[in-house]
Amino acid sequence: MTAFATIEDYLASLPESQRQITDELLPLIEKALPGTGAVWHGHPVWSLGPAPGKSPVCYIKAYSSYVTFGFWRGREITDPSGRLEPGARAMASVKLRALSDVDADLFTTWLDQARDLEGATGD
């Protein structure tokens, strides 16, 4: 596995189709969780704690045919769309295979809820 020093390094390593997806996600994440991202366990993670892995909120992880956008406490997020798929423990995520899979309004709602679950206040 390649070690990435920064989120930008990780994203730059992705195929163009996946970079398009992450280019849409990144501004949404940064608006909800400004300056809190880091590479943790090989992929980008946004946390509210003082270091990666302390109060993690969300992550991006690329696979061969999709990008996962996930939340540590995703099962607690209200999701009337039904797009969040339950994962291990309290986690949930969505698989993004095309740029059209990114729903800015929906994902912003999820991000705000996820941030608030960790006790932060947003704008």
Side-chain angles (χ1 to χ4, degrees), residues 29-111:
I29 296 168
E30 283 297 323
K31 184 174 181 187
L33 301 159
T36 64
V39 175
W40 187 50
H41 291 286
H43 60 275
V45 173
W46 287 262
S47 302
L48 294 179
K54 300 297 180 189
S55 300
V57 177
C58 69
Y59 67 93
I60 295 173
K61 188 170 183 180
Y63 293 89
S64 61
S65 62
Y66 59 91
V67 173
T68 297
F69 177 40
F71 300 91
W72 261 259
R73 294 176 67 181
R75 290 187 188 196
E76 296 176 57
I77 292 173
T78 301
D79 177 31
S81 74
R83 290 185 62 191
L84 279 175
E85 298 176 15
R89 291 168 250 167
M91 298 176 88
S93 63
V94 62
K95 293 176 182 172
L96 308 171
R97 291 180 171 81
L99 185 56
S100 61
D101 291 338
V102 177
D103 181 330
D105 292 335
L106 177 62
F107 292 7
T108 296
T109 299
W110 291 348
L111 282 159

Side-chain angles (χ1 to χ4, degrees), residues 3-12 37-39 43-44:
F4 299 100
T6 67
I7 291 173
E8 291 76 19
D9 291 341
Y10 181 90
L11 300 179
V39 175
H43 60 275

